[in-house]
Amino acid sequence: MTPTDRAPRGPLKPGEPTPIRTVPEHIARPEYVGRTGPERVTASDIKDAETVERIRAAGQIAARALEAVGAAIRPGVTTDELDRIGHEFMIAHDAYPSTLHYMGYPKSLCASINEVVCHGIPDTTELKDGDIVNIDITAYKDGVHGDTNRTFLVGDVDEDARLLVERTKKAMERGIKAVKPGREVNVIGRVIEKYAARFGYGVVREYTGHGVGEAFHSGLIIPHYDSAPDYDDVMEVGMVFTIEPMLTLGAAETYQWDDEWTVLTADGSRTAQFEHTLVVTEDGADILTLP
Ligand code: MF3
Ligand code: CO
Ligand code: CO
């Protein structure tokens, strides 16, 4: 931990909650909406070609919504305004914002600033010059979810954080390159952790990649650290999952705010994340969350 591992704005505090958005009746909801419990979807993680194309269509909407939100990122904008932009983009494309009412989550995307690792709830918080902010969007359309995120720079960001963001994207890309049928999924985390170690970055362990499709989180777990001999599921052609490493400038340990969602680094160090949904192919991976 060095002084610049922490954000120049100082520790983040929760903003004020903002009103809950609504989704037009004609847009189909995932089965968990209207319940508080976990998902009850049973589907194989191996998808047929038709299902893969539906996940790609949902994933493209999520990726384009992410671009629309990214275009609005600047100092002074609130995370609630970013939520509004993502929400309206998805409903304009007849997609349901998967996070809205998922296990009680109240918003249509996650906005995680600086030392927030993931699951930051959009509220009245304004982005400040020098921040980094992860926006995580999942869209549900035609019975399937597509899940993607990226970390954006707000104004003038110091070099430590710029490098963290650039290298976290590269870590995700290395993880994707490690995808091959016949390999255990723990190969992915081994590659990511090795790359992060070069720079002394922490790799968050409590939150992982996951199987996705008919279910938002299928039960298949993709760690971003070297978990061998655990997590030995063998990758197969047609398997669909996310890779979404969270790297930190300091230590990897996390804690949660009392809102029961916002996850932060225990030491207050800044953290970045990138995510794609992909399908395993004969010779590698096909990314399903491209714009
Ligand atoms: N999109 C996140 C993921 O990558 C999950 C967000 S769940 C929420 O798995 F409820 F926090 F929104
Ligand atoms: Co995900
Ligand atoms: Co996500």
Side-chain angles (χ1 to χ4, degrees):
M1 209 30 205
T2 72
T4 56
D5 285 353
R6 292 207 178 89
R9 69 141 71 184
L12 199 73
K13 301 274 178 300
E16 294 302 319
T18 51
I20 303 218
R21 304 198 143 80
T22 58
V23 176
E25 276 308 319
H26 73 271
I27 296 177
R29 276 101 168 115
E31 57 79 32
Y32 51 76
V33 174
R35 298 192 296 110
T36 48
E39 286 184 89
R40 311 189 276 215
V41 177
T42 48
S44 166
D45 287 301
I46 319 297
K47 314 299 185 189
D48 61 25
E50 180 272 330
T51 306
V52 168
E53 290 319 306
R54 281 188 288 131
I55 298 170
R56 194 192 304 277
Q60 183 180 56
I61 292 170
R64 290 181 177 174
L66 190 53
E67 284 188 334
V69 171
I73 286 179
R74 55 175 170 73
V77 72
T78 66
T79 52
D80 183 71
E81 171 64 6
L82 301 178
D83 182 79
R84 185 191 65 76
I85 293 167
H87 179 89
E88 288 184 358
F89 187 97
M90 285 185 270
I91 66 176
H93 292 81
D94 288 331
Y96 183 92
S98 305
T99 61
L100 183 62
H101 306 304
Y102 173 71
M103 309 266 291
Y105 189 82
K107 290 288 168 184
S108 299
L109 53 76
C110 300
S112 303
I113 300 169
N114 296 335
E115 68 270 29
V116 177
V117 171
C118 61
H119 305 168
I121 302 173
D123 61 15
T124 57
T125 303
E126 288 184 9
L127 299 182
K128 284 202 194 327
D129 185 60
D131 284 343
I132 59 174
V133 60
N134 179 275
I135 304 295
D136 191 336
I137 296 187
T138 310
Y140 178 79
K141 188 169 180 174
D142 288 339
V144 293
H145 303 267
D147 185 7
T148 184
N149 77 49
R150 58 186 308 154
T151 301
F152 296 92
L153 307 180
V154 185
D156 197 15
V157 173
D158 65 43
E159 184 177 30
D160 281 357
R162 274 192 281 118
L163 287 172
L164 173 71
V165 170
E166 184 182 308
R167 291 164 175 167
T168 303
K169 182 162 188 275
K170 287 198 175 126
M172 175 195 65
E173 289 163 353
R174 284 178 178 241
I176 294 172
K177 283 207 170 71
V179 170
K180 297 271 185 298
R183 290 183 179 171
E184 295 180 3
V185 301
N186 57 36
V187 171
I188 296 164
R190 188 170 318 133
V191 164
I192 290 170
E193 190 172 47
K194 262 232 143 59
Y195 181 69
R198 273 201 211 173
F199 312 107
Y201 295 156
V203 178
V204 171
R205 300 167 84 100
E206 294 94 335
Y207 303 89
T208 65
H210 52 93
V212 62
E214 294 89 343
F216 188 174
H217 298 97
S218 75
L220 171 67
I221 301 290
I222 313 292
H224 303 116
Y225 60 93
D226 188 356
S227 62
D230 294 340
Y231 301 99
D232 58 354
D233 302 88
V234 175
M235 293 184 246
E236 281 182 56
V237 173
M239 194 182 262
V240 175
F241 54 82
T242 73
I243 298 179
E244 50 182 299
M246 287 141 272
L247 304 190
T248 67
L249 284 178
E253 284 68 35
T254 66
Y255 77 104
Q256 234 173 5
W257 275 346
D258 294 338
D259 62 18
E260 284 177 16
W261 283 107
T262 312
V263 178
L264 302 97
T265 56
D267 64 4
S269 67
R270 287 177 287 179
T271 169
Q273 183 181 23
F274 284 82
E275 174 177 29
H276 273 308
T277 297
L278 57 86
V279 59
V280 180
T281 63
E282 297 287 349
D283 54 359
D286 183 6
I287 297 172
L288 302 176
T289 39
L290 295 175

